Amino acid sequence: GPRTSIPSVGVYASGDELTVDINRYLGNVQVTVYALDGSSTTCNTYYINGHSSFTMDFTGYNTGNYSISIRLQNGTVYSGTFRLE
């Protein structure tokens, strides 16, 4: 079948780490993570060259629920929530 050119974004949690996997995308992404209780926020920009993975370490962050937002340069946003124990 025809190949898709739509970017794919996957986020995988393991312990205190999140791995973000982005495929079929060229450019910067802005990743924002914030605690739903308002206790902490982190924001990083990563360059994706077609297919890239990167790991974010949350060791020392408070236990609780967090939101992650991944924004592409065209304004598309992928978002979700995860829990740190």
Side-chain angles (χ1 to χ4, degrees), residues 11-26:
V11 179
Y12 311 94
S14 177
D16 287 337
E17 292 184 341
L18 280 186
T19 299
V20 179
D21 185 75
I22 299 176
N23 198 7
R24 294 188 300 272
Y25 180 73
L26 182 66

Side-chain angles (χ1 to χ4, degrees), residues 9 41 43 47 50 56 62 71 78 83:
V9 176
T41 301
C43 185
Y47 179 74
M56 304 175 74
N62 293 340
R71 182 182 180 92
Y78 298 85
R83 180 165 179 82

Side-chain angles (χ1 to χ4, degrees), residues 2-42:
R3 290 180 52 123
T4 181
S5 61
I6 298 172
S8 67
V9 176
V11 179
Y12 311 94
S14 177
D16 287 337
E17 292 184 341
L18 280 186
T19 299
V20 179
D21 185 75
I22 299 176
N23 198 7
R24 294 188 300 272
Y25 180 73
L26 182 66
N28 290 324
V29 296
Q30 184 179 57
V31 181
T32 304
V33 174
Y34 61 91
L36 296 184
D37 67 5
S39 63
S40 58
T41 301
T42 183

